[in-house]
């Protein structure tokens, strides 16, 4: 579900699933927690493969943010138009730092 790549002091976790919903939310958070010890201080969560997100998916991302911070910085990247719309409607675009695309 998550593929990790570390370069130049930044770890990029790429979500491989097309949907972040109730069926995968718990698994995403568990995998993120499992990979955290090897992550750099700068973490990018690349959602470019995700075309759908629901409240459970948003909840999992909030859980990932809580796991990462305050010792690490988490940035979300690669939002599709539909996922970006959900972020705006739920005001999660004000909770997360959002970058246009994966940089690592």
């Amino acid at each position: 579900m998550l593929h990790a790549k570390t370069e130049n002091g930044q770890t990029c976790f790429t979500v491989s699933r097309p949907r972040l919903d109730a069926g995968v939310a718990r698994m995403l958070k568990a995998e993120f927690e499992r990979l955290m010890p090897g992550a750099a201080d700068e973490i990018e969560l690349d959602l470019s493969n995700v075309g759908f997100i629901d409240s459970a998916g948003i909840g999992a991302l909030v859980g990932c943010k809580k796991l990462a911070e305050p010792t690490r910085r988490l940035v979300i990247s690669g939002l599709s138009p539909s996922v970006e719309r959900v972020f705006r409607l739920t005001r999660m675009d004000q909770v997360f730092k959002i970058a246009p695309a994966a940089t690592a």
Side-chain angles (χ1 to χ4, degrees):
M1 161 167 278
L2 282 179
H3 301 283
K5 179 180 171 184
T6 301
E7 285 183 0
N8 303 322
Q10 181 183 40
T11 299
C12 181
F13 293 125
T14 302
V15 178
S16 61
R17 299 285 180 107
R19 296 175 60 91
L20 280 184
D21 55 20
V24 298
R26 191 173 291 174
M27 188 177 9
L28 171 72
K29 187 177 171 192
E31 197 161 338
F32 187 87
E33 186 172 17
R34 181 181 64 79
L35 294 170
M36 279 294 297
D41 289 341
E42 298 282 326
I43 299 172
E44 182 171 349
L45 191 55
D46 179 6
L47 301 182
S48 59
N49 295 321
V50 178
F52 174 85
I53 191 166
D54 67 6
S55 60
I58 293 285
L61 295 179
V62 170
C64 291
K65 181 176 173 58
K66 288 180 180 179
L67 287 169
E69 296 177 354
T71 59
R72 293 181 170 101
R73 184 171 164 257
L74 178 67
V75 175
I76 304 285
S77 70
L79 300 183
S80 69
S82 61
V83 172
E84 184 177 9
R85 189 171 24 255
V86 171
F87 268 71
R88 280 195 323 269
L89 288 171
T90 59
R91 301 204 184 260
M92 287 295 111
D93 60 340
Q94 296 175 17
V95 173
F96 290 96
K97 177 163 175 45
I98 301 186
T103 57

